[in-house]
């Protein structure tokens, strides 16, 4: 790749991925690498600048992480953030100590004053709010450095040696709470590192296609397509690169949402690739008959999926490469390099390991989710596919409480489609992380026309979350709930009651099972 690159050395801070995203948002490519990357590897990476991240340690503590000291001799600009700033100070001859007075420890939003003559703060107001989180402070700055930011409690919030291109800030420019953080990073990238902003999705697409062609040659490629964003974008990219050498196997387990199987198929129909849709719904339903226990349902669905996938893979014959939709957050090697753990992420809950392939191809492994979506648009995938909210592998199977039957699936598909339509009509999709209908196994009495009904209750669920580990229920406007509820009870036979789930995670989970 001949893009300009920024190297982010990871000292264990909690916002490291965010730093990388912010850099890329400015159209500059970057990668997060362990802090102990050797000088030779740094040279080989060939960055135009380096960022030291924050971290939980104290730079003066025994065993705290330090970079190769040669990093300061490369003639490259360096921006140190929080711990990274203290590292700069300590390694270059300054003094970092635990803040003596409580007032010099800073957490949270802090009024900060800047020297706007410093290139990092050029063009920004002289006073603004920053986000601090540090207990140590720089008691003496290194020779050659000057102070360029301060707060009321701390005189050494920002330091710089502009001759060498070294900058350090105690606060976190990457978080939204730092009012002008984005602009400061932009200044570092464009004014100090002389970035040109050459990281664009169309370049990425072109280069990825070229390198996939070079790697795959005339080999055969297999991809398990779930219809989710990652596997769909990977399929579109591979399809452009190697056309009919690619086979996409889409296992439609019959637990997809309304029209979803057809949408996935339509999105790939015009491409020159072998698209295999396996309509395995009856086979899944048969296995699920009479099963009510959530974990058993999940196991059955997961296992059946693999069996179907294996059978299709065998029909295709010898496959050289298997594609996985791994994305960057799954890959980042954090903290100490020698203990780096690289997660291997399966979109479909496990792939057969005896498919005879030479290598796993992961064309999205350097992209964040929003970049994967941008690439999907670049590849002209339909917007519904690109913006799909997460959908669990077991599909509607875990949104029907109790036994899964064809009748219940039909009810849920309709109710869920109506809810999503109403959310879209109100223009609320962007404000919710995941929203759907579930079918409870509760039936209750209602009145329809002049008669009594005894039908199912549908539960609507919507959450906002950034990581899906915790989630808050969405305060959907009553009018939207009202419209969805009215339509569901009027249009979906078998439903006479609509409930809205107002529990957060924890203690509830996002899905019902
Ligand atoms: P929970 O219900 O655990 O869901 O709070 C958190 C997120 O994970 C998704 N989810 C799954 N995704 N296979 C998947 O691919 C699964 O078995 C599965 N279970 C839950 C869920 O939709 C939510 O986004």
């Amino acid at each position: 790749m001949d893009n300009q690159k920024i190297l982010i050395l990871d000292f264990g801070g909690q916002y490291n991925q965010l730093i990388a995203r912010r850099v890329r948002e400015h159209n500059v490519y970057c990668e997060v690498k362990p802090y102990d990357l050797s000088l030779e590897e740094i040279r080989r990476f060939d960055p135009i600048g380096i960022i030291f991240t924050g971290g939980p340690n104290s730079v003066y503590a025994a065993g705290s992480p330090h970079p190769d000291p040669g990093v300061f001799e490369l003639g490259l600009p360096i921006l140190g953030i929080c711990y990274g700033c203290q590292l700069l100070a300590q390694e270059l001859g300054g003094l970092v100590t635990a803040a003596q007075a409580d007032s010099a420890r800073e957490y949270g939003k802090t009024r900060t004053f800047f020297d706007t003559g410093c290139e990092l703060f050029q063009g920004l107001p002289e006073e603004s709010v920053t986000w601090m989180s540090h207990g140590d402070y720089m008691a003496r700055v290194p020779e050659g450095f000057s102070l360029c930011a301060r707060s009321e409690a701390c005189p050494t919030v920002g330091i710089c040696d502009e001759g060498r291109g070294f900058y350090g800030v105690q606060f976190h420019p990457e978080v939204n709470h730092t009012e002008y953080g984005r602009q400061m990073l932009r200044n570092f990238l464009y004014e100090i590192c002389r970035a040109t902003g050459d990281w664009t999705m169309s370049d990425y697409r072109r280069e990825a296609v070229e390198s996939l062609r070079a790697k795959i040659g005339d080999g055969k490629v297999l991809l398990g397509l779930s219809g989710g964003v990652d596997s769909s974008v990977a399929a579109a990219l591979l399809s452009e690169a190697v056309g009919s050498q690619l086979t996409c196997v889409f296992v439609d387990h019959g637990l997809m949402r309304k029209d979803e199987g057809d949408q996935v198929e339509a999105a790939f129909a015009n491409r020159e690739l072998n698209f295999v849709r396996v309509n395995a719904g009856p086979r899944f339903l048969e296995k699920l008959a009479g099963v009510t226990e959530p974990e058993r349902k999940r196991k059955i669905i997961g296992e059946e999926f693999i069996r179907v996938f294996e059978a299709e893979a065998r029909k295709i014959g010898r496959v050289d490469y298997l594609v996985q939709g791994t994305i960057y957050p799954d890959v980042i090697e954090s903290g100490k390099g020698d203990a780096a753990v690289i997660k291997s992420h399966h979109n479909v809950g496990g792939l057969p390991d005896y498919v005879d392939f030479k290598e796993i191809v992961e064309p999205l492994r350097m992209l964040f989710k929003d970049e994967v979506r941008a690439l999907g648009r670049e590849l002209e995938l339909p917007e519904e596919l690109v913006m799909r909210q997460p959908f669990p592998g077991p599909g509607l199977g875990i949104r029907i409480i109790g036994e899964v039957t064809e009748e219940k699936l039909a009810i849920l598909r309709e109710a869920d489609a109506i809810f999503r339509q109403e959310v879209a009509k109100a223009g609320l999709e962007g404000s919710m992380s995941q929203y759907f209908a579930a079918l409870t196994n509760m039936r209750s009495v209602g009145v329809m026309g002049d008669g009594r009904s005894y039908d199912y209750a549908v539960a609507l669920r919507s959450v906002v979350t950034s990581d899906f580990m915790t989630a808050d229920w969405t305060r959907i406007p009553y009018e939207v709930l009202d419209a969805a509820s009215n339509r569901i009870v009027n249009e979906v036979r078998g439903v006479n009651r609509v409930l809205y789930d107002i529990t957060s995670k924890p203690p509830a989970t996002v899905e019902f099972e």
Side-chain angles (χ1 to χ4, degrees):
M1 186 164 57
D2 38 13
N3 292 88
Q4 293 181 322
K5 283 173 266 181
I6 290 285
L7 172 64
I8 298 175
L9 285 185
D10 181 357
F11 292 91
Q14 56 179 322
Y15 303 123
N16 298 351
Q17 284 204 28
L18 200 53
I19 300 174
R21 292 182 59 155
R22 292 281 175 263
V23 170
R24 292 195 189 179
E25 273 167 21
H26 286 301
N27 297 107
V28 181
Y29 183 75
C30 66
E31 286 185 30
V32 181
K33 302 270 194 188
Y35 70 84
D36 56 358
L37 199 68
S38 72
L39 212 51
E40 201 188 313
E41 285 170 300
I42 295 177
R43 283 208 187 91
R44 210 174 316 128
F45 186 71
D46 191 23
I48 58 168
I50 300 177
I51 296 178
F52 293 170
T53 74
N57 300 78
S58 286
V59 289
Y60 48 79
S64 60
H66 287 251
D68 187 315
V71 71
F72 301 107
E73 310 300 329
L74 292 170
L76 292 172
I78 298 177
L79 171 64
I81 296 174
C82 200
Y83 179 89
C85 169
Q86 291 155 16
L87 261 180
L88 264 182
Q90 201 205 34
E91 296 277 314
L92 298 173
L95 179 69
V96 178
T97 59
Q100 294 300 321
D102 270 357
S103 57
R105 288 192 191 111
E106 293 177 297
Y107 294 99
K109 290 184 182 173
T110 309
R111 212 146 61 96
T112 310
F113 307 91
F114 299 95
D115 171 3
T116 55
C118 166
E119 274 202 284
L120 195 61
F121 308 124
Q122 186 183 293
L124 305 181
E126 287 179 353
E127 182 190 331
S128 62
V129 170
T130 65
W131 179 261
M132 301 274 189
S133 169
H134 67 100
D136 288 339
Y137 101 114
M138 294 177 283
R140 191 182 69 233
V141 301
E143 209 170 305
F145 276 75
S146 54
L147 294 172
C148 54
R150 66 182 170 84
S151 67
E152 267 150 10
C154 177
T156 56
V157 164
I159 56 169
C160 62
D161 175 344
E162 300 215 78
R164 285 194 283 176
F166 294 162
Y167 297 80
V169 289
Q170 292 277 24
F171 57 86
H172 288 270
E174 70 277 19
V175 306
N176 281 331
H177 303 304
T178 296
E179 271 181 312
Y180 293 93
R182 278 193 166 81
Q183 290 89 329
M184 292 170 196
L185 286 172
R186 187 175 176 84
N187 281 345
F188 178 68
L189 298 171
Y190 285 80
E191 304 302 326
I192 297 163
C193 301
R194 304 279 167 217
T196 56
D198 63 359
W199 168 248
T200 64
M201 270 307 139
S202 60
D203 286 342
Y204 181 83
R205 171 190 185 172
R206 186 176 37 76
E207 284 170 18
V209 164
E210 279 167 20
S211 74
L212 284 167
R213 279 188 189 141
K215 178 190 202 102
I216 294 165
D218 56 7
K220 274 191 185 176
V221 186
L222 184 69
L223 181 146
L225 188 64
S226 69
V229 183
D230 302 343
S231 67
S232 297
V233 172
L237 193 64
L238 261 299
S239 155
E240 178 160 306
V242 297
S244 58
Q245 289 158 251
L246 170 70
T247 302
C248 295
V249 179
F250 166 48
V251 178
D252 184 343
H253 49 21
L255 306 168
M256 308 291 279
R257 291 169 297 181
K258 188 175 180 186
D259 300 329
E260 200 163 26
D262 295 343
Q263 281 166 6
V264 174
E265 188 171 347
F268 292 92
N270 297 328
R271 293 175 190 263
E272 256 187 58
L273 65 96
N274 306 309
F275 176 90
V276 181
R277 173 178 176 173
V278 191
N279 288 319
R283 158 168 189 176
F284 278 79
L285 270 187
E286 201 176 300
K287 284 270 167 18
L288 288 168
V291 182
T292 55
E293 209 273 310
E295 276 312 296
R296 265 204 74 212
K297 281 161 70 175
R298 278 171 176 278
K299 287 223 167 65
I300 289 170
I301 297 168
E303 197 183 318
E304 201 56 17
F305 187 96
I306 302 294
R307 298 285 91 84
V308 176
F309 189 85
E310 283 171 350
E312 290 307 311
R314 276 196 296 272
K315 284 187 208 160
I316 292 157
R318 218 184 85 76
V319 175
D320 303 292
Y321 299 93
L322 186 71
V323 184
Q324 281 189 189
T326 318
I327 67 172
Y328 198 44
D330 305 321
V331 173
I332 292 184
E333 301 170 37
S334 285
K336 250 184 101 46
D338 50 12
V341 175
I342 302 177
K343 272 192 284 174
S344 147
H345 180 98
H346 295 281
N347 278 344
V348 291
L351 288 169
D353 49 12
Y354 67 78
V355 177
D356 182 21
F357 55 85
K358 259 204 297 219
E359 209 177 314
I360 290 180
V361 179
E362 296 177 319
L364 311 179
R365 61 182 281 117
M366 285 301 155
L367 303 184
F368 286 104
K369 192 79 170 186
D370 45 356
E371 294 174 321
V372 173
R373 294 193 204 278
L375 178 60
R377 285 193 190 99
E378 183 66 39
L379 289 159
E380 288 155 28
L381 282 176
E383 193 61 19
E384 313 87 75
L385 212 64
V386 168
M387 284 315 292
R388 258 189 64 158
Q389 48 169 323
F391 186 62
L396 301 185
I398 54 168
R399 291 183 180 170
I400 291 175
I401 299 175
E403 187 184 4
V404 180
T405 64
E406 193 62 77
E407 180 214 2
K408 288 183 182 175
L409 279 167
I411 291 175
L412 181 54
R413 277 199 195 99
E414 290 306 319
D416 179 70
I418 290 172
F419 181 41
R420 287 187 290 131
Q421 282 159 16
E422 291 303 320
V423 167
K425 215 192 279 174
L428 291 174
E429 303 116 304
S431 60
M432 306 176 180
S433 311
Q434 205 170 357
Y435 53 100
F436 55 87
L439 188 63
T440 73
N441 56 355
M442 179 189 91
R443 297 174 88 184
S444 65
V445 175
V447 50
M448 287 268 185
D450 289 329
R452 175 187 189 274
S453 65
Y454 185 63
D455 284 330
Y456 285 112
V458 159
L460 304 181
R461 177 90 167 128
S462 172
V463 293
V464 178
T465 170
S466 54
D467 56 9
F468 292 92
M469 304 296 285
T470 62
D472 196 12
W473 63 276
T474 317
R475 274 57 169 176
I476 296 184
Y478 280 165
E479 311 82 72
V480 179
L481 289 173
D482 186 46
S485 166
N486 265 317
R487 281 192 56 200
I488 290 170
V489 288
N490 280 303
E491 296 174 32
V492 187
R493 283 188 62 169
V495 179
N496 66 356
R497 203 174 281 270
V498 177
L499 313 170
Y500 186 52
D501 184 347
I502 54 165
T503 25
S504 291
K505 173 184 179 176
T509 53
V510 174
E511 303 291 346
F512 280 62
E513 289 197 334

